[in-house]
């Protein structure tokens, strides 16, 4: 788990955002992001952040 970033939302707010996103996907208003794309973005972020941690 990445602990260097502060959470912007409370647990309750995060749950509501997750449920809202699920409803939007189910209704076809937004598309899922392909898993491979997400994983590539996460890897790049981790690489960038690891270079900034001393």
């Amino acid at each position: 788990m990445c602990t260097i970033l502060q959470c912007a939302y409370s647990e309750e707010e995060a749950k509501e955002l997750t449920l809202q996103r699920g409803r939007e996907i189910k209704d076809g208003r937004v598309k899922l992001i392909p898993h491979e794309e997400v994983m590539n973005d996460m890897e790049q972020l981790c690489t960038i952040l690891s270079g900034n941690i001393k």
Side-chain angles (χ1 to χ4, degrees):
M1 176 195 287
C2 186
T3 59
I4 62 172
L5 299 175
Q6 295 291 323
C7 292
Y9 301 101
S10 69
E11 186 174 340
E12 186 176 307
E13 290 170 320
K15 285 179 183 178
E16 180 54 39
L17 287 173
T18 301
L19 292 172
Q20 179 62 38
R21 175 79 171 161
R23 287 189 291 269
E24 291 171 349
I25 292 168
K26 185 178 178 182
D27 293 343
R29 291 181 279 165
V30 295
K31 294 181 182 178
L32 290 173
I33 301 170
H35 177 75
E36 195 62 36
E37 185 179 328
V38 172
M39 295 309 294
N40 287 338
D41 288 351
M42 292 290 287
E43 187 175 320
Q44 288 177 2
L45 179 61
C46 287
T47 301
I48 290 167
L49 290 176
S50 67
N52 292 327
I53 299 172
K54 296 182 182 181

